């Protein structure tokens, strides 16, 4: 079946601009996660949704970052007033349910470059 | 101190070699443990879960030592296709995964 998909695959923007990154989880998966991976590092947690609600947004670096999942399926990560330090690969993952033992399946990521 | 620490490598080994990766974690309340594999410019994919009793999947063996907060991965009879970054991952019952920086493995002919 279809895996997690993310669009766009690459995004180049200028400092100060607004960007939206989209994630389509595996059908039927209730939990959705956003991570950010910088060069040479492992992915770092940003936010997690159970259904439509953000269950844990403790990883969002500041209030320029915001994410929504209005219908409990597709999610959008929004970044305002982008900075060069926001350049990274943004990974989305989904799992069937929440819980420490549920496998998280990752999408291919969106590579964001802020010039 | 990072929550999950692993040697970044790279580990350069010939085909057929046995190689071991280690990882330590700081949160004693951590509940589940994994090794993920990540190929260059690709997403992480689950390689195997790690249990206290140890578990084996073909050429791969994973081990967890809760007392020492230590996780290991052993790869026997290395193949060229094993070249990748291996990420040590911990879940502390908060649903979010905590990743190490990854250990790069390069298998050469």
């Amino acid at each position: 079946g279809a895996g997690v998909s993310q669009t766009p695959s690459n995004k180049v923007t200028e400092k100060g601009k607004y960007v939206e990154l989209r994630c389509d989880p595996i059908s039927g998966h209730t939990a959705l996660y956003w991570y950010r991976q910088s060069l040479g590092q492992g992915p770092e947690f940003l936010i997690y949704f159970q259904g439509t609600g953000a269950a844990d947004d403790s990883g969002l670096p500041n209030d320029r970052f915001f994410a929504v999942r209005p219908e409990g399926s597709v999610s959008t990560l929004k970044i305002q007033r982008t900075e060069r330090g926001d350049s990274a690969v943004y990974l989305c993952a989904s799992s069937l349910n929440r819980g420490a033992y549920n496998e998280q399946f990752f999408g291919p990521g969106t590579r964001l470059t802020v010039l | 101190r990072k929550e999950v620490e692993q040697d970044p490598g790279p580990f350069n080994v010939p085909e057929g070699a046995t190689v071991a990766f280690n990882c330590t974690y700081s949160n004693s309340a951590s509940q589940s443990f994994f090794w993920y594999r990540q190929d260059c410019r690709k997403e992480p994919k689950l390689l195997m879960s790690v249990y206290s009793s140890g578990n084996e999947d073909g050429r791969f063996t994973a081990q967890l030592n809760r007392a020492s907060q230590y996780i290991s991965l052993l790869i026997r009879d290395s193949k060229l296709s094993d070249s990748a970054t291996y990420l040590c991952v911990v879940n502390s019952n908060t649903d979010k995964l905590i990743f190490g920086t990854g250990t790069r493995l390069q298998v050469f002919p």
Side-chain angles (χ1 to χ4, degrees):
Chain A
V4 178
S5 62
Q6 293 186 244
T7 54
S9 53
N10 281 284
K11 176 71 178 178
V12 180
T13 191
E14 292 179 344
K15 183 173 176 294
K17 300 288 189 185
Y18 168 83
V19 296
E20 288 190 354
L21 313 180
R22 177 188 165 109
C23 172
D24 261 287
I26 293 171
S27 178
H29 279 196
T30 63
L32 185 148
Y33 310 80
W34 284 99
Y35 294 84
R36 176 167 77 172
Q37 186 171 23
S38 301
L39 195 62
Q41 302 295 316
E44 291 182 315
F45 170 79
L46 294 176
I47 185 170
Y48 142 62
F49 289 88
Q50 178 61 36
T52 60
D56 183 347
D57 65 357
S58 61
L60 294 178
N62 51 59
D63 62 6
R64 295 187 298 105
F65 289 74
F66 189 70
V68 295
R69 194 186 185 199
E71 297 176 359
S73 178
V74 170
S75 176
T76 305
L77 178 65
K78 309 180 182 197
I79 311 174
Q80 298 177 319
R81 304 183 305 279
T82 51
E83 299 178 356
R84 292 198 180 87
D86 299 335
S87 297
V89 176
Y90 288 81
L91 293 162
C92 176
S94 70
S95 63
L96 188 59
N97 292 301
R98 64 174 300 175
Y101 297 95
N102 279 275
E103 181 180 353
Q104 294 185 21
F105 296 85
F106 283 81
T110 293
R111 184 172 299 274
L112 175 67
T113 304
V114 182
L115 301 176
Chain B
R1 186 190 167 193
K2 289 192 171 186
E3 281 193 67
V4 178
E5 297 215 50
Q6 49 181 141
D7 182 345
F11 284 60
N12 296 304
V13 303
E15 273 188 290
T18 295
V19 61
F21 305 138
N22 304 316
C23 162
T24 57
Y25 61 95
S26 59
N27 186 347
S28 58
S30 298
Q31 283 214 330
S32 54
F33 309 87
F34 310 93
W35 284 100
Y36 273 71
R37 171 191 168 130
Q38 187 170 29
D39 292 289
C40 190
R41 298 179 79 88
K42 299 286 189 182
E43 71 273 22
K45 291 186 177 175
L46 180 65
L47 178 67
M48 56 199 305
S49 301
V50 190
Y51 307 112
S52 297
S53 53
N55 48 305
E56 190 173 308
D57 183 1
R59 298 180 294 108
F60 298 83
T61 301
Q63 198 81 41
L64 166 66
N65 184 321
R66 283 190 183 268
S68 303
Q69 295 180 203
Y70 171 96
I71 306 161
S72 64
L73 177 69
L74 183 77
I75 306 176
R76 287 181 298 278
D77 189 23
S78 298
K79 311 289 185 195
L80 295 176
S81 57
D82 294 334
S83 298
T85 295
Y86 291 83
L87 296 158
C88 178
V89 188
V90 169
N91 188 322
S92 58
N93 198 30
T94 57
D95 294 293
K96 61 189 181 190
L97 298 179
I98 309 296
F99 287 81
T101 54
T103 298
R104 260 188 60 210
L105 172 66
Q106 185 67 49
V107 182
F108 58 88

